[in-house]
Amino acid sequence: MKMKQNHVRAKLKRGEPSVGTWLTLPDPTAAHLMARAGFDWLTVELEHTPITMETAAESFAIIAAIGPAPLARVPWNNGENIKRVLDTGAWGIVVPMVNSRAEAEAAVNAARYAPQGQRSVGGQLHAANFDTDPATYYDRANEEILVVLMAEHVQAIEAADEILRVPGVDVVFIGPNDLHKSMGKRPVFDSDSKEFVDAVQHVLKTAKKHGVAPGIHVLDAVAAKRRIEEGFQFIAVASESGMMLAKAREITSALGLGPGKVVAKY
Ligand code: 3PY
Ligand code: MG
């Protein structure tokens, strides 16, 4: 039987950039509306939000039906999290804080069926979200599921060559906030700090060397364009709640209602 192609993985394999955003609100209605905004993919954020597996599964289904690729940032790098988001219909995983070759292997192992990994066979929603039957899904999933590992700690920068050598890794995605924090600096999306700039360039170079698509989280379209020009391919721009609040604060300040309170970083 036919199965939908993961257009994001295909684009990245062709060397093209792919832009998406983060979904942080525990609300499939927000996912529904954002899925129509034109992004290539949407990552349901389960790491730092109240979003439950049930809400995430509803969002994956809506996003896949409308067109973007539904991805999930898992709360942490373990097999239970990875299995459950994939079995409930995510087309890919974003795995936080992967700092060593062993941690990279564990993530790939959980995301790929044998012989590439040890993902357990089961579930219904994964095949439904690829508009196919389970037998076809089990045959093809290893070619369609996107595995994104995060480089967001100085240890990951040091181990980048070892991590990106692991077969089955599609993307290395820099988390600039955690990366700055691990350097003893204030968490920010970008800075001129030499240590940060060198780390970003090292990840970019090492990713290209191993045929892995480099990615990074940025705050706006200007930064996204700059990172694409540098060679980054998997670009996350802010989040849906960040966009909502930025627009709200633009309106309140234009009307002289005061700047409002800063409630979200992105
Ligand atoms: C970070 O900047 O640490 C992130 O996790 C962004 O996604
Ligand atoms: Mg982070």
Side-chain angles (χ1 to χ4, degrees):
M1 197 180 168
K2 274 193 174 159
M3 173 163 152
K4 274 190 184 173
Q5 187 192 41
N6 184 342
H7 56 273
V8 175
R9 192 164 192 259
K11 258 191 181 180
L12 297 173
K13 294 282 171 218
R14 290 197 300 267
E16 294 167 23
S18 177
V19 179
T21 188
W22 249 222
L23 299 184
T24 65
L25 300 172
D27 186 356
T29 305
H32 189 168
L33 297 174
M34 287 302 291
R36 304 179 69 83
F39 289 106
D40 252 359
W41 50 265
L42 296 170
T43 293
V44 177
E45 158 68 312
L46 291 114
E47 185 187 8
H48 295 299
T49 69
I51 296 176
T52 62
M53 284 285 173
E54 274 184 50
T55 305
E58 283 179 45
S59 297
F60 302 149
I62 292 167
I63 296 163
I66 294 175
L71 308 178
R73 176 153 77 175
V74 291
W76 199 244
N77 180 11
N78 69 46
E80 180 183 341
N81 289 326
I82 292 171
K83 175 170 55 190
R84 292 196 68 204
V85 296
L86 291 178
D87 285 357
T88 56
W91 287 15
I93 49 164
V94 180
V95 185
M97 228 21 112
V98 177
N99 292 345
S100 67
R101 185 185 171 99
E103 287 171 12
E105 283 170 347
V108 171
N109 210 34
R112 305 271 183 227
Y113 291 121
Q116 281 105 310
Q118 290 186 325
R119 181 177 167 195
S120 173
V121 173
Q124 299 101 6
L125 298 172
H126 42 32
N129 282 8
F130 275 99
D131 201 14
T132 193
D133 56 27
T136 309
Y137 179 83
Y138 296 134
D139 280 350
R140 298 273 318 279
N142 282 355
E143 276 82 63
E144 300 297 344
I145 294 300
L146 187 75
V147 173
V148 180
L149 304 187
M150 290 198 68
E152 52 178 353
H153 193 281
V154 285
Q155 284 171 19
I157 308 305
E158 281 157 23
D161 199 50
E162 283 293 294
I163 291 172
L164 298 182
R165 222 178 262 285
V166 173
V169 178
D170 298 311
V171 178
V172 55
F173 178 66
I174 296 174
N177 291 282
D178 273 309
L179 184 54
H180 278 98
K181 196 76 182 140
S182 78
M183 293 170 173
K185 303 177 196 303
R186 290 186 70 199
V188 283
F189 274 86
D190 203 359
S191 77
D192 296 334
S193 138
K194 184 171 177 343
E195 195 181 359
F196 175 74
V197 172
D198 287 352
V200 169
Q201 290 314 309
H202 180 62
V203 171
L204 190 59
K205 213 173 84 195
T206 312
K208 298 283 177 193
K209 172 178 160 193
H210 292 291
V212 170
I216 191 162
H217 210 143
V218 300
L219 270 185
D220 55 34
V222 173
K225 281 189 184 165
R226 179 168 63 82
R227 291 304 190 189
I228 290 170
E229 274 165 24
E230 286 174 8
F232 282 94
Q233 291 179 259
F234 182 86
I235 312 288
V237 184
S239 72
E240 97 287 46
S241 55
M243 293 175 200
M244 179 179 85
L245 289 163
K247 194 69 193 173
R249 296 183 73 219
E250 185 189 306
I251 291 168
T252 51
S253 58
L255 292 174
L257 303 175
K261 294 186 170 46
V262 178
V263 292
K265 198 167 157 48
Y266 65 95

